Every structure is written in structure tokens, then in C-alpha cells.
Amino acid sequence: MTFPKLEEPPSPADFKADELIIRALRPSDAEALTKVLTMPGVRNGTLRQPFQSIAQTLRYIEGLSPTDIVIAAEWRGIVLGNAGLHANQGRRKHSATLGMGIHDDFTGKGIGTKLLESLIDSADNWHAITRIELTVFTDNTNAIALYEKFGFEKEGIMKQYAFRNGAYADCYFMARIR
């Protein structure tokens, strides 16, 4: 019995940020995005469950509302991460919640910066979103530094926010107000 040869992903050492394409997330990204979202580092920094299926990811993508702004970071045909703004309704329609995840092997290479630049431009110049909110685990110092670089401020701490790695972990509630 023979098995198809798996393609080797490009090496992070070859990464060039100027080759990164930021674009809308699409249903055909479901498999690639599932690979990113189920990586140990992404799971550790988010509320993702282990063993998310491609079908679950596809349902998420297909269920996005017209007010959701969800983008992908693609390099050499491979999805390396995504980020999204999910707008609130009614008297909170000026605000949105931010979420993002970056491939474990490509963190610290400017992908999060490119994703945030794109989302903030969209929020500020196209959607009249003046408040962007997020939660981030208090030990995720790289993500906190990225958010602070874009003007996010800590507004509070949520004790025992989520169960992770066998223990409860605290989160900061952060926001950027334009």
C-alpha cells in the first residue's frame, strides 16, 4: 500500500513579511485554519478546545454574520493565522470583540502586526467601530505587548477566567478606544 507524499510546509526561516497576503477568510480555508487553531500554542493562548474538527471550523466560517470582519494571513499558499472583529449589536454597535491565532512556528514574525493593522484600519475607516475589546491570558506577554503597541489598555483582570492545562488561569480585559 502506498500513501500520498505529504508536502513539507515552508520553513519559518524562509518567511518574509512582505510576501504575506492579508485577505478575507473563505470556506476553502477550513482545513488549513483547523490545523492552526488546534496547535498547542494557539490552544494555550485562546479558549479553543482540543480536537476541533474541520467540519466545526467550516460551520464557524459559514456562520459568520455580515458584521463580522474575519481575515486570514496567507504566505506561499499556506494559512498561517487569522483574526476577526465581531461587532456588537444595539447600543453597543460601536464596539467589537477581537480574536486571533497565529501558527505556532510563525509567532513573533510580524503576522499579528499585519492582521491587527488591517482590522484596525477596517474598524476605524470603514465600520465606525470606536471600541475594540479582547481578553488575553495574563501570562501571554507577547500578545499583551502586541496589543499595547496598537493602543489597547488593560481595563481589568478576570480571576480564574478559564480552565487551561489542568488549572484555572487569569485574563486581562483590554480595549482600544478611538
Side-chain angles (χ1 to χ4, degrees), residues 42 44-45 57 89-90 93 106 126-127 129 141 146 155 168:
V42 175
N44 191 59
T57 304
Q89 304 291 320
K93 69 181 178 182
F106 289 84
W126 298 97
H127 294 276
I129 295 170
T141 56
L146 173 66
E155 294 187 332
Y168 288 100

Side-chain angles (χ1 to χ4, degrees), residues 107-167:
T107 60
K109 296 190 175 290
I111 296 169
T113 295
K114 296 280 190 189
L115 288 167
L116 268 180
E117 284 172 347
S118 297
L119 287 178
I120 288 173
D121 174 66
S122 184
D124 290 352
N125 298 308
W126 298 97
H127 294 276
I129 295 170
T130 60
R131 179 181 171 84
I132 302 173
E133 305 167 340
L134 62 88
T135 57
V136 59
F137 287 108
T138 58
D139 62 357
N140 194 343
T141 56
N142 291 338
I144 293 165
L146 173 66
Y147 300 138
E148 288 176 337
K149 179 173 114 175
F150 281 91
F152 286 82
E153 295 179 10
K154 295 172 188 160
E155 294 187 332
I157 188 167
M158 294 177 276
K159 301 284 187 182
Q160 294 188 4
Y161 179 72
F163 194 71
R164 165 183 84 154
N165 297 325

